[in-house]
Amino acid sequence: MSAPSSASTLKELSRLKAPFSLPKLPYSSSSLEPVVDQVTMETHHGKHHQAYVTKANEALAADSSSVNLGEMLKTISSRSMALRNNAGGHWNHSFFWLVLTPDKSRQKMPSRLQKQIENAFGSFEKMKDQLEAAGTGLFGSGWVWLIRNANGDLAITTTINQDNPLMDVVSVKGQPVFAIDVWEHAYYLKYQNRRAEYLKQIWSIVDWTRVDQFDQEALKNRKIIP
Ligand code: MN
């Protein structure tokens, strides 16, 4: 069986193999308007994500190992900075497109996930506040994450550049369940310097059905937690 070229589960994302390719967006580039405008979406996916794919493949051309993307991230400390940035960028964006949706029915919060969030944070509002504060407080470019940490608890963390919680180089490791890209390229055309406003608006396009799926997968398959 050949490795998948696109993925919609954590396991499939982990099993992606080089040469990597740009996954199709699971919706049209205008369909997340007005929260994310079409030009931002086209540039973000077609130019930025494509560049991570291209550069990850270039960085791997001299690498004879054929490990999958998940293994690569788990051992990223032993690899080049170019691979760390670009394989990270490929995983992060492939994941990010999946946790957004224009589909109203998928934007409804499943009761199982709602309870998990309430247990961990007190309320959904408190979780959002913490995630927004973490994203606003992150200096420079990076990501804010909702993860299942090594204890299996829901937690919020941030990473710089294109690092992610699967990498052995980050201090807080875990299995990503949800993420927001807080690089300026994700919001600058529409929100300019107003990152906090972008973070407030994005809640209305979250695919909670998918986040619930990722959370159940993270809980079930603890092996994929580094
Ligand atoms: Mn990005």
Side-chain angles (χ1 to χ4, degrees):
M1 201 175 76
S2 66
S5 60
S6 69
S8 60
T9 66
L10 294 173
K11 193 174 272 183
E12 285 169 358
L13 282 166
S14 157
R15 285 182 178 167
L16 292 174
K17 279 200 159 194
F20 301 120
S21 57
L22 185 69
K24 280 204 179 73
L25 279 178
Y27 33 75
S28 79
S29 56
S30 63
S31 62
L32 300 181
E33 296 225 18
V35 177
V36 181
D37 62 282
Q38 182 172 4
V39 177
T40 294
M41 204 63 205
E42 284 172 357
T43 312
H44 199 177
H45 175 256
K47 305 290 183 194
H48 291 283
H49 189 174
Q50 178 64 64
Y52 296 123
V53 168
T54 303
K55 289 178 184 168
N57 289 335
E58 283 170 10
L60 276 165
D63 194 316
S64 58
S65 68
S66 61
V67 299
N68 64 34
L69 183 54
E71 286 297 321
M72 214 176 276
L73 299 178
K74 265 204 290 200
T75 56
I76 206 73
S77 61
S78 64
R79 291 161 178 275
S80 68
M81 190 55 78
L83 192 62
R84 175 170 163 182
N85 289 336
N86 292 293
H90 180 42
W91 194 97
N92 294 350
H93 288 85
S94 298
F95 179 83
F96 184 53
W97 311 134
L98 293 172
V99 298
L100 303 178
T101 184
D103 181 345
K104 296 263 178 282
S105 68
R106 297 187 63 90
Q107 292 167 359
K108 271 194 242 142
M109 173 65 74
S111 59
R112 191 209 66 87
L113 183 59
Q114 171 94 29
K115 286 197 194 89
Q116 296 289 316
I117 289 171
E118 286 170 1
N119 288 344
F121 300 97
S123 70
F124 179 57
E125 286 306 313
K126 283 186 183 153
M127 186 277 282
K128 287 204 294 188
D129 288 349
Q130 281 188 39
L131 219 139
E132 286 176 28
T136 309
L138 178 65
F139 184 78
S141 297
W143 292 76
V144 56
W145 305 89
L146 180 65
I147 61 168
R148 283 283 172 182
N149 66 20
N151 298 325
D153 298 325
L154 281 175
I156 287 167
T157 186
T158 59
T159 55
I160 58 163
N161 302 327
Q162 294 298 350
D163 286 356
N164 71 39
L166 296 167
M167 291 180 172
D168 62 353
V169 290
V170 303
S171 53
V172 181
K173 298 181 187 66
Q175 191 60 49
V177 168
F178 173 66
I180 305 176
D181 186 345
V182 293
W183 280 59
E184 283 185 345
H185 69 220
Y187 63 85
Y188 201 84
L189 288 181
K190 182 177 165 82
Y191 299 93
Q192 292 84 48
N193 62 324
R194 303 186 306 279
R195 184 189 285 183
E197 189 185 330
Y198 157 71
L199 287 168
K200 279 223 175 305
Q201 295 301 319
I202 206 162
W203 297 115
S204 67
I205 53 167
V206 174
D207 187 338
W208 291 113
T209 307
R210 181 96 64 191
V211 177
D212 185 43
Q213 170 212 312
F214 284 152
D215 188 47
Q216 292 188 52
E217 197 185 348
L219 278 173
K220 202 159 55 183
N221 192 358
R222 297 287 298 279
K223 272 196 320 224
I224 50 181
I225 295 175

